[in-house]
């Protein structure tokens, strides 16, 4: 154990062994020792030496350490030591620190070489993946660090091994669910290295629910206020989404864009902008830009832009844009992010046009941004971001272009001067003493006119006040005055620095030749070509025109729409301008070398092409109309087919109903035949729907009796009504005797007779008071009797109505049965006719059969007649009968004996 004491710092006697000798002894001990404790101690000693003697440990001990990982998996401690030792050997982190301290001691990239040795056997990486699955902290954490280091050194090779290993990526995704934050955070770093520049692994990681887990971690850590873990998660999300259309679509379809909105809920306080928060928010804005980048497919970008508007993310970004106290780099990145969120999306562009800055009075956000763009004191990067935002706002936005140009026209300029418009800011920047403002304003105005011929014509109306007392001049005239000396600059042989300016002047002259319609006599195509040939020369002109596309800054600007310049000196070309140069360079070169005859032919060809274009547009219009008519006819066909299907369904239902009615008709026909037989044997009486004719006659007689009673009661009622009228018309002074006589004439009621006797016997009743009392009492009784009679009449009338209804129903049933009877009789007659026809046909067939038999007999063919067969059958029956009679006679003789 002397070498172990030397390694661990214990006292030793004799000469000290070198590091290589000690490592060799430790490797022998690991390979030959049978005790696990000895092997563990040896591996622990190798771990302590691996930082100082990295090369020796890597060369001598790597094979033994891999063998330990394969054989001693039951002991987590020795596995942890072995993984730590391999990590120290392969990782370059410690080496970089040493190189910083002592730069003279530069060594080769040992980590890359040892990584190649380790991954040469793919089983080693697979073994490492199985060890990462272990839950033991001393095994899992070193395994994660070692695998991360392997991916840093030889990323593509290790990625390919993990990709082909079964469930390789899925095993690593389990690290994000580990409850121990150290392993989870290192797992995020591992996935960062794993997903770099590998679309296949990125897709697998995304479909292993990585977005959900990473967003949960960011939320748990506090969104933008979180620590470096949030930064690592955002970097991993960028790896998964950048240039990966499949993952971007999955991210949008999974409604993960909505979960990004809380990231940008920044308070209004000016404090709290730590360096980590700025970094996190910067990465969050970059992640939004990844989803809406102009390099993405247009459909994917448009869908993400709409989702960001509907979830309120764009509104939140505009809030940060207009907030106070936001750091400059965050404000710049926010402007770039808003630019790409609204680029080419009409809904988002309209919303951005409606955003106002929180000022007094409120101003549109576009005006506030343009004020920053033409302000010399603003940072260069911020001014470039504002220009990009203005370009994106006008991209494919004719409505916005019209609004910007309208602020330049004289009719819309505010005479009071209280408010500054976008047009005034652009014109001020265009003729400012600051060259950067000149360039930004010129590019912004160019984008306001992009692919919009109507606005180009309106821009000719813009008037500029050059100085006090002088009349205003047009915008085009002012620009022409500034560029009046360009042709002279082309002719001069300046240095190489001026070649770009000469190329731009040549481009401008070429445009004036190519688009010249020869409407001005002094500036026809031919005269301008002669001017170029005399003063410059055709070859020299084409050479100077080519200076533009050969310039380095031209190539940079042509790569992407965003104006990204390191300094104002590099601010030369706009992305849309490079497209224009690429489109016009070839056609201008051809136009310069064309002769007048070729120009005439070209003009004739253009005229014919215009005619053809007119014809084509006419036919296109006709085709559109026909397409519309076809669409209408298709819709009508669809409606008619649907109606036809409905009618067919109803027809099938009706056919089935008809079939049911036929079946019922056949059943009734059979029943009618039976009923006819029954009626022929028992008389002509029949029963109709349970009601016989005798009952109907009785009901009719009862109805007549009730009618007579009703008439009698109505007569009595009329008589009583007349009596009441007479009594009411008579005076109160009439005697009770007359009233009694009238009452006795009317009714013969006993009570009235008694009243009449009392009235005649008592002379006092002749008084007027008594007469009035008796008359009122009589009237009350009469009214009561009349009411009773009316109620009886009403009851009788109701009974009459019910009897009428019964009679009507019975008569209707009788009529229905009579119709059915007549129908059945007709059918019976038709069936009899059919039977007669069948009998006639049978007779004809018998005649034909007999004639054919006669012919066969004449031909000598033996034919049996039906009569013969029938007589033969009868002979057999007679023989049987004779035999039976003989048997009976024999039996009788036997009984007699």
């Amino acid at each position: 154990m002397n070498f172990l004491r030397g390694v661990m710092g214990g006292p030793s006697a004799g000469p000290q062994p070198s590091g290589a000798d000690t490592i060799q002894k430790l490797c022998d001990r690991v390979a030959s020792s049978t005790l696990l404790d000895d092997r563990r101690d040896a591996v622990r000693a190798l771990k302590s030496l691996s930082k100082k003697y990295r090369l020796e440990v890597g060369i001598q001990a790597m094979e033994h350490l891999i063998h330990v990982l394969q054989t001693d998996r039951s002991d987590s401690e020795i596995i942890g030591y072995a993984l730590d030792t391999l990590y120290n050997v392969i990782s370059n982190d410690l080496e970089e620190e040493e190189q910083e301290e002592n730069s003279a001691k530069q060594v080769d990239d040992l980590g890359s070489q040892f990584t190649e040795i380790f991954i040469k056997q793919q089983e080693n990486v697979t073994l490492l993946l199985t060890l990462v699955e272990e839950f033991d902290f001393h095994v899992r954490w070193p395994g994660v660090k070692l695998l991360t280091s392997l991916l840093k050194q030889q990323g593509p090779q290790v990625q390919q091994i993990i990709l082909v290993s079964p469930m390789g990526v899925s095993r690593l995704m389990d690290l994000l669910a580990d409850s121990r934050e150290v392993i989870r955070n290192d797992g995020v770093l591992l996935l960062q290295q794993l997903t770099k520049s590998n679309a296949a692994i990125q897709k697998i990681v995304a479909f292993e629910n990585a977005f959900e887990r990473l967003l949960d971690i960011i939320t748990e850590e506090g969104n933008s206020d979180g620590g470096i873990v949030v930064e690592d998660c955002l970097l991993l999300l960028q790896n998964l989404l950048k240039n990966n259309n499949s993952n971007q679509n999955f991210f949008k379809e999974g409604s993960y864009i909505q979960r990004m909105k809380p990231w940008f809920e920044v308070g209004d306080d000016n404090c709290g902008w730590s360096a980590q928060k700025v970094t996190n928010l910067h990465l969050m804005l970059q992640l939004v830009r990844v989803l809406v980048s102009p390099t993405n497919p247009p459909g994917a970008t448009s869908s993400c832009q709409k989702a960001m508007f509907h979830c309120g993310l764009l509104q939140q970004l505009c809030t940060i844009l207009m907030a106070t106290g936001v750091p400059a780099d965050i404000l710049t990145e926010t402007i770039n992010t808003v630019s790409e969120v609204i680029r080419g999306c009409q809904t988002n562009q309209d919303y951005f046009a409606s955003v106002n800055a929180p000022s007094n009075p409120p101003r549109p956000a576009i005006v506030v941004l343009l004020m920053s763009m033409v302000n010399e004191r603003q940072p260069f990067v911020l001014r470039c971001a504002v220009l990009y935002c203005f370009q994106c706002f006008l991209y494919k936005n004719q409505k916005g272009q019209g609004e910007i140009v309208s602020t330049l026209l004289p009719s819309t300029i505010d005479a009071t001067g209280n408010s500054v418009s976008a047009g005034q800011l652009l014109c001020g920047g265009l003729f400012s003493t600051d060259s950067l403002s000149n360039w930004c304003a010129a590019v912004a105005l160019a984008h306001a006119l992009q692919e919009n011929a109507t606005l180009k014509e309106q821009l000719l109306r813009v008037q500029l006040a050059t100085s006090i007392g002088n009349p205003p001049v047009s915008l085009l005239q002012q620009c022409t005055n500034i560029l009046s000396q360009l042709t002279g600059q082309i002719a001069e042989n300046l240095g190489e620095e001026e070649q770009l300016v000469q190329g731009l002047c040549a481009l401008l002259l070429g445009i004036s030749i190519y688009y010249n319609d020869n409407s001005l006599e002094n500036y026809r195509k031919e005269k301008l070509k002669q001017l170029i040939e005399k003063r410059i020369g055709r070859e020299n002109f084409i050479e100077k025109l080519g200076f533009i596309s050969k310039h380095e800054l031209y190539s940079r600007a042509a790569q992407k729409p965003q104006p990204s310049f390191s300094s104002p000196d590099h601010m030369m070309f706009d992305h849309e301008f490079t497209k224009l140069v690429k489109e016009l360079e070839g056609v201008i070169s051809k136009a310069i070398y064309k002769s007048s005859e070729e120009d005439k032919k070209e003009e004739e060809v253009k005229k014919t092409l215009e005619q053809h274009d007119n014809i084509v547009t006419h036919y296109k219009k006709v085709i559109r109309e026909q397409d519309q008519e076809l669409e209408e006819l298709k819709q009508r066909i669809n409606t008619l087919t649907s109606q036809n299907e409905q009618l067919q369904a109803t027809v099938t239902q009706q056919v089935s109903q008809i079939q049911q009615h036929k079946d019922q008709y056949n059943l009734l026909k059979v029943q009618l035949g039976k009923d006819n037989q029954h009626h022929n044997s028992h008389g002509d009486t029949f029963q109709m729907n349970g009601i016989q004719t005798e009952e109907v006659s009785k009901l009719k007689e009862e109805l007549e009796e009730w009618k007579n009673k009703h008439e009698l009661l109505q007569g009595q009622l009329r008589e009583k009504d007349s009596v009441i009228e007479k009594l009411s018309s008579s005076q109160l002074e009439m005697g009770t005797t007359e009233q009694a006589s009238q009452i006795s004439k009317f009714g013969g009621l006993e009570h009235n007779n008694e009243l009449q006797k009392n009235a005649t016997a008592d002379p006092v009743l002749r008084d007027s008071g008594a007469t009035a009392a008796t008359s009122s009492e009589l009237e009350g009784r009469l009214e009561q009797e009349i009411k009773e009679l009316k109620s009886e009449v009403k009851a009788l009338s109701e009974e009459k109505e019910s009897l009428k209804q019964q009679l009507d129903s019975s008569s209707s049933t009788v009529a229905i049965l009579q119709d059915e009877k007549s129908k059945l009789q007709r059918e019976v007659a038709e069936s009899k006719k059919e039977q007669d026809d069948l009998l006639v046909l049978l007779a004809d067939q018998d005649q034909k059969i007999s004639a054919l038999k006669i012919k066969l007999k004449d031909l000598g063919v033996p034919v049996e007649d039906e009569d013969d067969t029938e007589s033969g059958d009868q002979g057999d029956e007679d023989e049987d009968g004779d035999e039976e009679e003989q048997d009976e006679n024999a039996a009788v003789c036997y009984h007699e004996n």
Side-chain angles (χ1 to χ4, degrees), residues 323-339:
T324 57
V326 180
D329 52 350
I330 295 298
L331 182 60
T332 303
E333 190 65 25
T334 304
I335 294 172
N336 290 326
T337 306
V338 172
S339 305

Side-chain angles (χ1 to χ4, degrees), residues 15 96 153 370 494 501 528 537 650 707 733 746 786 857 869:
E96 291 175 358
Q153 302 299 332
L370 289 177
L494 303 176
V501 178
L528 292 176
T650 54
K707 282 182 179 180
E733 296 177 355
F746 167 73
I786 288 167
K857 286 180 180 180
T869 56

Side-chain angles (χ1 to χ4, degrees), residues 182-199:
V182 176
I183 296 178
R184 185 199 67 183
N185 298 341
D186 284 348
V188 174
L189 297 175
L190 170 61
L191 292 174
Q192 282 184 22
Q193 300 297 327
L194 181 65
T195 56
K196 277 185 178 179
S197 304
N198 194 311

